[in-house]
Amino acid sequence: MRDVIGGSLISLVVIGVLALLAGLVLPFLLKRKGQSLSGRDIGLGFGGALAVLALGGVGLAVRPASPANAGDNAATLSSVTSTVPAAPYDVESYVYTDSFVGGIKVAQIRAIVTGDDRNRWAATIIAISQAAHDAGAESVKVTLLRNISRDVPDVLRELAHAYYNPVPNRSVWNDKTLWAIFVAQPGHIADDRTIAINQAYHEEYRKLIRTRPAADPKKPDPQKAAPKREEWAADQARRTIAARFRLPADWKLWGGNVNDSRDRFNPDSISIDRKPVADRLKELKECMSNVLSDEVKHCP
């Protein structure tokens, strides 16, 4: 916008200079040979200058949007909140308890979804969090997981997690803001090969932990200290899996789909259509129905 205003002022200055020159030169062009300037000539000259100035102003007023204007308009449009439908989900498990200090009612919910995109994952996790609060929870955590085998670790299944603190000063989470939502980027979700590699590593690691390595008189027995045994097993498992899957030497285990330092989501950027999951939200509230327990429970 500043560039647009600056351009307009420069244009007006140029038009004003042209108008002034026109007012000074035009009378001389209009005067009759051998005669001095008349009032008529001077009037026509400055009248023409005013006409140039007026036409220039009209031109600036009606000119089409420049690229800078278009950019401003695009920025304004992009800030408009969009309506996003929540994705169908199932509650894998939940805990609803008041065992925390101060008797704070805390709900921790694990839900699974299939497919969809980042905005819909965010819409879904927000809708579930608010339904838990409607059921009585004062502090809520929701984890959204891919609908794949439960034997797969959460770091490979997770799509999003959210901390919701709707009741002031009744939060058990470190982040005391109303919302702390983190949603995975579509291009940073473990694929089938990544899952297979990580699963193979953990299987190899568990096998090695249970196996006593061959004695080496030059090295301490890794079985004598658990930390050393675990370090040995981790290193051996990494080498074995790297060779099996032809991985680079600097290969590392998958760190997780969701990165809290990168994937924070602003809940004010969307409005939520809850109609696709209205029945599920109702079921969740009925499941919780203020029945507090430290046990993990399941919705039917």
Side-chain angles (χ1 to χ4, degrees), residues 67-136:
N69 287 338
D72 290 341
N73 293 336
T76 301
L77 291 173
S78 66
S79 66
V80 175
T81 301
S82 59
T83 299
V84 178
Y89 70 89
D90 291 309
V91 172
E92 184 174 282
S93 64
Y94 73 94
V95 175
Y96 183 33
T97 179
D98 62 353
S99 297
F100 289 85
V101 175
I104 299 174
K105 295 179 180 178
V106 178
Q108 299 185 66
I109 302 166
R110 294 165 58 86
I112 56 177
V113 294
T114 302
D116 290 301
D117 59 29
R118 190 168 189 256
N119 280 347
R120 293 200 72 185
W121 297 333
T124 306
I125 209 167
I126 291 170
I128 295 172
S129 299
Q130 291 176 330
H133 172 53
D134 292 342

Side-chain angles (χ1 to χ4, degrees), residues 237-251:
R238 190 186 67 79
R239 292 172 183 271
T240 299
I241 299 307
R244 183 186 305 174
F245 288 90
R246 299 180 180 179
L247 300 171
D250 60 350
W251 168 77

Side-chain angles (χ1 to χ4, degrees), residues 35-267:
Q35 294 183 6
S36 60
L37 289 172
S38 66
R40 172 179 174 278
D41 294 332
I42 294 173
L44 286 174
F46 280 97
L50 291 174
V52 170
L53 187 60
L55 289 173
V58 171
L60 284 174
V62 301
R63 67 185 175 88
S66 65
N69 287 338
D72 290 341
N73 293 336
T76 301
L77 291 173
S78 66
S79 66
V80 175
T81 301
S82 59
T83 299
V84 178
Y89 70 89
D90 291 309
V91 172
E92 184 174 282
S93 64
Y94 73 94
V95 175
Y96 183 33
T97 179
D98 62 353
S99 297
F100 289 85
V101 175
I104 299 174
K105 295 179 180 178
V106 178
Q108 299 185 66
I109 302 166
R110 294 165 58 86
I112 56 177
V113 294
T114 302
D116 290 301
D117 59 29
R118 190 168 189 256
N119 280 347
R120 293 200 72 185
W121 297 333
T124 306
I125 209 167
I126 291 170
I128 295 172
S129 299
Q130 291 176 330
H133 172 53
D134 292 342
E138 299 170 296
S139 199
V140 182
K141 178 184 178 182
V142 178
T143 303
L144 203 62
L145 303 162
R146 296 170 63 193
N147 189 16
I148 58 178
S149 173
R150 297 185 186 185
D151 293 332
V152 176
D154 280 2
V155 294
L156 301 165
R157 295 182 64 201
E158 187 179 20
L159 296 172
H161 56 261
Y163 300 91
Y164 181 40
N165 306 302
V167 182
N169 301 319
R170 299 286 286 176
S171 171
V172 298
W173 318 121
N174 290 332
D175 194 328
K176 303 297 183 182
T177 56
L178 179 64
W179 287 104
I181 303 173
F182 307 91
V183 187
Q185 303 289 339
H188 196 266
I189 297 171
D191 57 18
D192 291 343
R193 175 175 166 80
T194 301
I195 292 174
I197 290 171
N198 278 256
Q199 292 293 82
Y201 168 85
H202 287 294
E203 289 175 8
E204 185 69 17
Y205 175 83
R206 287 191 293 268
K207 182 179 72 175
L208 289 168
I209 281 291
R210 296 191 298 266
T211 303
R212 184 182 180 86
D216 185 344
K218 296 180 181 180
K219 297 180 180 180
D221 187 346
Q223 290 283 3
K224 290 182 179 179
K228 291 183 179 180
R229 183 172 68 250
E230 291 170 359
E231 290 173 8
W232 170 84
D235 182 64
Q236 291 299 314
R238 190 186 67 79
R239 292 172 183 271
T240 299
I241 299 307
R244 183 186 305 174
F245 288 90
R246 299 180 180 179
L247 300 171
D250 60 350
W251 168 77
K252 295 180 181 179
L253 281 171
W254 186 251
N257 297 335
V258 183
N259 185 323
D260 284 8
S261 64
R262 179 193 62 215
D263 295 336
R264 190 147 189 162
F265 188 94
N266 178 11

Side-chain angles (χ1 to χ4, degrees), residues 7-24:
S8 299
L9 290 174
I10 292 171
S11 299
L12 285 173
V13 169
V14 172
I15 291 169
V17 170
L18 292 175
L20 179 60
L21 291 174
L24 294 173

